[in-house]
Amino acid sequence: MNASEMVAATKGFLIDLDGTLYVGVELIPGASNFVHRLRERDLPHAFVTNITSRPRSEVLARIRQKGLEIDPDHVLTAPLATKGYLDRRSIGQCFFLTRPQLIEDFAGHPQSEDHAEAVVVGDMGNLITFQHLNTAFRLLLSGAHFVTMSRSRYFREPDGMSLDAGSFVQMLEYATGREAVTTGKPSGEFFQSALELIGLRADEVAMIGDDLESDVGGAQRVGLRGLLVLSGKTTEAPPTDADFRPDAVLGSVADLLTML
């Protein structure tokens, strides 16, 4: 099945944001038309992002500033998925390795360095220090739950690639001998939550993203098709011996316009 046939057989889409619809403040050419086409065709879709540097309110505001028309109820962020995970397990106080503004997405889970029931890792950018990491290390040794919103090692910014949360997670895993629970992409729980938003089965849906592991691999593991775009983190088609093989490789979402 070629890319056009596969898209024609797909009933709905999950769509990554950063690197797929935009990079930094710039929309990827054709992204706005692609989103408009989805709405015009009334195709079920949701936007799924592992952005852990900004709360959902800010993500939505930035999307609007770029001129994209997106239903706020169909945006699933890694912080919101993480809050759901904490709520279901009745976890209260947390130590957040995140930027301060992200705490607004975690109502009911106050920040604590002394009595945290969980260490929650996201993107702190250049705010992260040895003291932050060492506090997390000590809490984990004391038995706190270990939760990460993302396992991405790096991501693309306008001026180049930058370290992402997954790099610090792996350091803490090595130091503590423990494995973190992933609540954002590529976890199956995250994708199942996204499927519930659009009301379709996994085999009816394609995931579109720029991350071979988190977007394509994560989606394929739970039965979705994985479409890789080369407009963000990934800029070249993966080799034939890559761990994950996309169902299709596209230059950008603009290539989908003629297929919808």
Side-chain angles (χ1 to χ4, degrees), residues 196-247:
E196 289 174 10
L197 282 180
I198 60 176
L200 293 175
R201 301 190 313 269
D203 62 354
E204 299 174 316
V205 178
M207 171 71 207
I208 306 168
D210 68 317
D211 190 306
L212 182 62
E213 182 177 357
S214 291
D215 294 327
V216 172
Q220 289 176 333
R221 276 196 292 265
V222 293
L224 288 82
R225 300 181 180 96
L227 279 65
L228 181 70
V229 290
L230 306 180
S231 52
K233 177 178 179 178
T234 304
T235 57
E236 295 182 356
T240 55
D241 61 348
D243 291 338
F244 303 102
R245 296 290 303 276
D247 292 283

Side-chain angles (χ1 to χ4, degrees), residues 103-159:
I103 303 301
E104 73 176 60
D105 281 347
F106 289 93
H109 303 279
Q111 169 82 308
S112 172
E113 294 187 11
D114 300 319
H115 305 290
E117 299 170 50
V119 171
V120 180
V121 185
D123 174 20
M124 284 193 78
N126 58 11
L127 298 177
I128 198 164
T129 66
F130 171 82
Q131 187 60 47
H132 289 123
L133 291 167
N134 206 47
T135 298
F137 168 69
R138 291 177 177 180
L139 287 167
L140 292 171
L141 288 182
S142 297
H145 294 268
F146 191 5
V147 181
T148 182
M149 299 182 230
S150 169
R151 297 200 72 93
S152 294
R153 293 169 293 168
Y154 60 90
F155 62 99
R156 182 181 177 186
E157 296 191 280
D159 61 347

